[in-house]
Amino acid sequence: MYKKVEPKAKQVRVNGFHLKDIQPRTLNQKKTFDEYEKGKHLLLHGAAGSGKTLIALFLALRDVINLHQFKSLVIVRTAVEAREIGFLPGTEEEKSESYQLPYRSLCSELFHNDKAYAFLKTAGIIDFTLTTFLRGQTLDDSIVVIDEASNFEWRELYTVMTRLGNNTRVIICGDVAQSDFKFSNEKLGFSNFKKVVEKIESFSCIEFGIDDIVRGALVKEFIIESYRQGLA
């Protein structure tokens, strides 16, 4: 289980940006909050629209900004459609910009301010990286959110997990049904990873189902019917 250690880095004061309070709306959302408060690392898996990423960002930013327990939130994604993204022209920021759009939107919701994500990045409170650029780094004093984890290959998940340093927690969000891999054997990376962390005492693995969908009535109806027809 994660043991709190005082962060080494100086904390940044966030002026004019107030993180709104988020309360769990379903039983599994409440379980996520409870297990996080116990100091567990989290694997949040399951239905689309169940608020996994929003909750992960809220818990992380709350501890970074309000409780000052960590210096930053590090969001890690994989470039599914371009595994060789490092060969594309442009800076790291330019290459990863399209992958950051969901977090701009989520931060706008969490802070009621469209400029929140840009400010938090400039202040060093949020760091975004693709797995392509993660090798050789050590992530200390951070909360690491591995998002869309079902799109990661095993070697990418292994790389991220072995980058975690002192005073660091991890929250992993994924859903095999939302994987962009074309073939079932390509999905084994996340499936095998899930089997590993389920056996680690410091992890709590929470399965989100149909009853946890909070995005909207149509989303819930669509997913239920997709499952009924064996398409999800």
Side-chain angles (χ1 to χ4, degrees):
M1 188 177 298
Y2 163 80
K3 183 178 180 181
K4 180 182 175 183
V5 179
E6 289 300 320
K8 302 173 184 177
K10 182 179 179 181
Q11 298 297 328
V12 180
R13 183 174 179 81
V14 182
N15 294 314
F17 289 85
H18 303 286
L19 181 66
K20 78 175 184 180
D21 188 36
I22 297 291
Q23 295 297 323
R25 296 170 58 183
T26 71
L27 290 177
N28 279 317
Q29 286 190 1
K30 184 178 187 305
K31 183 178 179 181
T32 300
F33 276 68
D34 292 344
E35 293 298 299
Y36 183 85
E37 295 302 331
K38 293 176 184 177
K40 294 278 192 175
H41 303 290
L42 299 176
L43 172 61
L44 311 180
H45 176 263
S50 52
K52 300 184 296 296
T53 302
L54 178 68
I55 290 172
L57 294 189
F58 169 74
L59 292 172
L61 288 169
R62 184 197 63 182
D63 280 6
V64 172
I65 295 172
N66 293 349
L67 303 183
H68 306 297
Q69 292 185 4
F70 305 89
K71 71 177 182 183
S72 64
L73 156 64
V74 180
I75 303 170
V76 182
R77 285 278 300 270
T78 180
V80 182
E81 301 86 356
R83 296 280 179 192
E84 304 300 327
I85 194 171
F87 294 101
L88 296 178
T91 65
E92 176 180 342
E93 182 68 20
E94 289 169 340
K95 294 173 185 177
S96 64
E97 176 60 30
S98 63
Y99 295 91
Q100 298 182 58
L101 294 177
Y103 312 107
R104 294 184 185 278
S105 176
L106 289 171
C107 284
S108 295
E109 179 179 349
L110 286 171
F111 291 89
H112 299 295
N113 191 317
D114 291 340
K115 298 179 180 179
Y117 183 79
F119 173 83
L120 294 169
K121 282 201 69 181
T122 300
I125 293 171
I126 288 181
D127 184 21
F128 179 91
T129 185
L130 296 170
T131 54
T132 310
F133 305 107
L134 197 56
R135 291 186 184 278
Q137 296 188 45
T138 300
L139 304 174
D140 291 320
D141 301 322
S142 303
I143 301 180
V144 178
V145 172
I146 304 174
D147 199 23
E148 302 289 349
S150 49
N151 283 329
F152 283 59
E153 295 177 347
W154 164 260
R155 63 182 176 84
E156 292 178 296
L157 290 164
Y158 187 90
T159 295
V160 179
M161 292 299 293
T162 55
R163 298 300 93 200
L164 305 180
N166 295 317
N167 189 40
T168 293
R169 294 182 71 172
V170 62
I171 305 175
I172 302 142
C173 304
D175 176 16
V176 171
Q178 297 181 72
S179 174
D180 289 328
F181 286 126
K182 296 179 180 179
F183 306 105
S184 59
N185 64 320
E186 292 180 316
K187 300 179 181 181
L188 290 176
F190 178 65
S191 297
N192 289 335
F193 175 80
K194 187 169 175 286
K195 291 176 183 177
V196 171
V197 298
E198 284 174 341
K199 298 295 183 180
I200 299 175
E201 185 178 354
S202 60
F203 262 92
S204 179
C205 301
I206 302 170
E207 294 288 333
F208 286 75
I210 298 299
D211 291 339
D212 297 300
I213 297 173
V214 294
R215 185 166 293 160
L218 178 57
V219 172
K220 191 168 186 176
E221 289 180 73
F222 177 79
I223 292 176
I224 290 172
E225 185 58 26
S226 297
Y227 274 108
R228 190 187 70 80
Q229 297 190 30
L231 299 173

